[in-house]
Amino acid sequence: RGRAAQPQHRVQPAASVRVSHSAAAGRRPALGRAANRVAYRPAINAGRRAVWTAPIKALVAEKFFDMVDLLGAEQVGLATGDAAINADAPVLVCTAEILANHALAVGADSEFGFACLDEFHYYAEADRGWAWQVPLLELTGCQMLLASATLGDMTAITADLEQRSGRAVSEVTSVHRPTPLYHQWRLCSVADSVQEAVREFQVIATGAPAEFG
């Protein structure tokens, strides 16, 4: 399959990075490859570890297998509230609360030299936002990658991160979304909405309407 050309960005060495980019545009695989070049390897070569967090276990598992393919099974570990696999590996993929609790326990003495906080818009969640906030406050010696497709005004967070860590913060933003989002207000049932969507797709794809029994 053809792939649309991706914009090229220059990021200062050892800078923290804020990425606003659609996951549907290949954000996670692209970030994994880029982070391997500019963050995972340098952190490991400096005798430190790297960590990638996500809000739900399904995303953690997906990223774990992506990183195993990229780095090798012996280099990657997984940790959630339910299970741990090779959790002392140089690169850890875990749920956000795992890293937040680690940050509360060890603070600036953490062995992690790089952390990606994926789905960073959870920062604003009333119940779980603390798990994205605490690492920024406590892991001051860690290079951060903050990734989401729905980041709003990050001026205050960026300024605070720069002040606490002493690192510049670079911004990478894209509004390209391969799968457009459409919003509708509907009064019919979910089942009826799904059937209508299937009919519309069938007409577009074949020119003939879908039939439902």
Side-chain angles (χ1 to χ4, degrees):
R1 292 175 299 187
R3 175 176 289 180
Q6 296 295 317
Q8 301 297 313
H9 303 277
R10 290 188 178 275
V11 176
Q12 300 178 47
S16 289
V17 183
R18 170 166 63 93
V19 176
S20 181
H21 200 284
S22 169
R27 183 185 77 223
R28 291 190 185 93
L31 284 182
R33 292 189 295 269
N36 179 49
R37 293 194 302 269
V38 303
Y40 296 149
R41 297 294 185 185
I44 294 169
N45 290 342
R48 306 187 71 185
R49 301 176 66 201
V51 60
W52 187 295
T53 74
I56 59 176
K57 287 179 280 188
L59 289 178
V60 171
E62 177 186 347
K63 176 50 63 176
F64 170 72
F65 288 112
D66 286 345
M67 297 309 299
V68 167
D69 288 342
L70 183 65
L71 301 175
E74 71 284 353
Q75 294 292 313
V76 185
L78 176 146
T80 68
D82 299 328
I85 301 173
N86 196 23
D88 294 326
V91 177
L92 178 67
V93 185
C94 65
T95 45
E97 284 79 3
I98 297 290
L99 180 62
N101 286 323
H102 167 84
L104 288 173
V106 302
D109 294 329
S110 171
E111 68 267 30
F112 290 115
F114 169 80
C116 173
L117 310 186
D118 204 356
E119 305 296 344
F120 189 73
H121 54 273
Y122 272 77
Y123 184 99
E125 286 281 321
D127 294 328
R128 298 186 63 197
W130 70 274
W132 282 258
Q133 298 163 15
V134 166
L136 299 188
L137 297 174
E138 298 294 334
L139 302 182
T140 53
C142 189
Q143 181 184 9
M144 295 288 180
L145 174 59
L146 314 178
S148 174
T150 54
L151 292 176
D153 184 2
M154 290 277 291
T155 303
I157 295 174
T158 296
D160 185 73
L161 179 58
E162 288 182 334
Q163 181 179 6
R164 288 178 183 276
S165 67
R167 300 173 185 266
V169 177
S170 298
E171 177 182 356
V172 178
T173 301
S174 173
V175 295
H176 173 64
R177 184 178 290 272
T179 305
L181 295 182
Y182 299 99
H183 302 277
Q184 294 181 334
W185 177 264
R186 305 179 67 90
L187 298 178
C188 60
S189 68
V190 173
D192 288 341
S193 296
V194 171
Q195 287 190 358
E196 183 176 335
V198 171
R199 289 192 188 97
E200 291 177 355
F201 174 79
Q202 188 75 12
V203 169
I204 294 172
T206 68
E211 297 294 335
F212 295 96

